[in-house]
Amino acid sequence: MSAAVDAARSVPGGRDWIVAPARAPLRGAVSVPGDKSVSHRALMLAALADGPSRIEGFLEGEDTLATARILQQLGVVIDAPAPGVRVVHGVGLHGLRGSAGDLDCGNAGTGMRLLAGLLAGQQFDSTLVGDASLSRRPMGRVIRPLAAMGARIDSADGRPPLHVRGGRPLQGGLYQTEVASAQVKSAILLAGLYAHGTTEVREAQPTRDYTERMLEAFGWPIAYGPGWARLDGDQALRATTVRVPADFSSAAFLVVAATLIPGSELALPGVGLNERRTGLLAVLRAMGADIAVTGERRLGGEVVGDLRVRHAPLHGIAVDPVHAPDMIDEFPVLFAAAACAQGTTHVQGAAELRVKESDRIAVMATALRTLGARIEETPDGAVIEGGALHGGRVDSRGDHRCAMSLAVAALRADAPVRIDDCANVATSFPGFEALAQGLGLPLQVLP
Ligand code: S3P
């Protein structure tokens, strides 16, 4: 990796923050970093393609950097000619080499689950490990379908580390995912590249289709639609150029902040608008938000557009569970918005939040309650009464999205809020603190 990129990586996210009430409206235009889901997939498929692929707009976040390091361990040369750019020298479908060392996915569930599928088809053994948060997360949801395909993945109690055995012939077949999860679907499809015959995945609720779109962009024949995908094994991936859109999930924090702070008008250009990601737009609009999308265009295989958000008062609603997979990463910031809205917001159908980087229902409910909000947790959601928020000290529990969501809520509190354990913000939104400060938000990083 180049020195510039290494330096970017070593900037810590900052452990604790103090966020004071917003003093001024959010105004101007701001670009957010590249999409995390797309960046992971671009690296993996480029690594398996024949020849060099270029990735532009790559997310320089800890999660995607972990995936890049793992692919390098497996013998893939990755150049970083500039920040946000990678040239991946693909080794072909059967060109990866085994690594004696553990493959460390850090905090990244996407990295671990997708790599489990990809590694299940190799001739060598691998061990995937992660940090304390990832080591608590359920992996049975990928182990079971991959085992049904013929893979062998050993783990203690379905949690990392995952010992993925190589040299196992994989069989295609029809697999129904047990939870609505793009990570599980993608793990099966990536194993399907190495399987004999046709692999088909079906899901009860459609999830983000980036793996499908990117396989298509790399020239692998695939048929797919909402809730299903089908491909044959033993084809080839053709090297290509991938342009990564700005991450809607990162933009979401600023969308909600601009909505909540009176007088704001903020532009966010070039944001990925894949319809399996933008459920929050529909929900915020139903709550009264003023968000316009203009300049919709295609960037690679994805639709991007420019968001313009103006302040608007929000009211509570019952969130239709049909939106849950399309906004699964945006619930923490929705909780913050709901706590500042007038009336009651009901969230249901979001039990998956309990097995994310943290139990996001519990972490957000506990923290917002500390700030004076009235929230009742349910097994798959919460009932949130909007009202005034106060200052206090809350814990993000090392969850990047909870940390940024609590920072957004703090902008509407009547006194400063201290937010603990924010370093992992660098996993998905490197530079968030500087960007927030540049916009005039009163966020202070404690030494
Ligand atoms: C992701 C899928 C989602 C999402 C995660 C990224 C992906 O997870 O929460 O941040 O890139 O496929 P699940 O598949 O567990 O729902």
Side-chain angles (χ1 to χ4, degrees), residues 35-38 40-41 63 109-111 113-114 137 141 179-186 207-211 249 277 325 327-330 352-353 355-357 360 400-401:
D35 188 279
K36 180 156 73 72
S37 294
V38 176
H40 277 297
R41 288 160 171 83
D63 278 11
T110 307
R113 294 195 177 115
L114 269 58
R137 296 181 66 186
R141 53 182 59 194
V179 279
S181 162
Q183 295 176 0
V184 175
K185 173 178 63 177
S186 300
T207 64
R208 62 190 73 184
D209 55 4
Y210 294 124
T211 303
S249 297
R277 291 291 297 284
M327 56 176 293
I328 195 65
D329 292 335
E330 282 63 73
E352 273 296 300
L353 296 178
V355 290
K356 293 291 179 188
E357 285 82 330
R360 288 183 171 160
H400 54 132
R401 298 202 198 280

Side-chain angles (χ1 to χ4, degrees), residues 137-343:
R137 296 181 66 186
M139 295 294 147
R141 53 182 59 194
V142 286
I143 295 174
R144 283 184 285 274
L146 293 174
M149 295 176 80
R152 183 165 155 207
I153 301 180
D154 298 323
S155 74
D157 197 23
R159 320 263 154 195
L162 300 184
H163 304 283
V164 186
R165 305 289 166 201
R168 313 260 314 170
L170 302 182
Q171 268 302 325
L174 174 59
Y175 301 97
Q176 172 84 38
T177 57
E178 55 188 74
V179 279
S181 162
Q183 295 176 0
V184 175
K185 173 178 63 177
S186 300
I188 297 169
L189 291 175
L190 291 173
L193 305 185
Y194 295 92
H196 182 69
T198 304
T199 298
E200 179 164 343
V201 189
R202 290 194 196 153
E203 42 189 9
Q205 274 184 290
T207 64
R208 62 190 73 184
D209 55 4
Y210 294 124
T211 303
E212 296 90 309
R213 285 167 186 262
M214 205 169 293
L215 281 166
E216 201 167 46
F218 276 87
W220 192 288
I222 178 167
Y224 62 95
W228 67 276
R230 186 170 57 237
L231 54 75
D232 286 338
D234 211 20
Q235 314 284 312
L237 293 163
R238 277 197 313 268
T240 189
T241 296
V242 179
R243 293 186 182 85
V244 182
D247 197 318
F248 180 86
S249 297
S250 297
F253 303 108
L254 298 166
V255 167
V256 174
T259 297
L260 293 179
I261 303 171
S264 296
E265 176 161 353
L266 191 66
L268 295 145
V271 179
L273 295 175
N274 182 307
E275 64 176 326
R276 298 274 76 85
R277 291 291 297 284
T278 48
L280 181 75
L281 283 186
V283 170
L284 284 177
R285 282 177 174 145
M287 295 173 79
D290 179 355
I291 305 167
V293 177
T294 55
E296 278 189 68
R297 56 204 180 267
R298 293 198 82 81
L299 184 73
E302 291 294 329
V303 176
V304 302
D306 307 318
L307 304 181
R308 197 225 51 225
V309 191
R310 292 202 179 105
H311 164 69
L314 297 181
H315 54 82
I317 60 165
V319 179
D320 188 336
V322 84
H323 292 305
D326 299 346
M327 56 176 293
I328 195 65
D329 292 335
E330 282 63 73
F331 280 104
V333 79
L334 175 71
F335 279 34
C340 301
Q342 201 171 40

Side-chain angles (χ1 to χ4, degrees), residues 117-138:
L118 191 159
L119 291 169
Q122 307 302 322
Q123 292 304 312
F124 51 82
D125 295 351
S126 308
T127 299
L128 290 163
V129 301
D131 71 2
S133 154
L134 184 53
S135 300
R136 286 191 292 269
R137 296 181 66 186

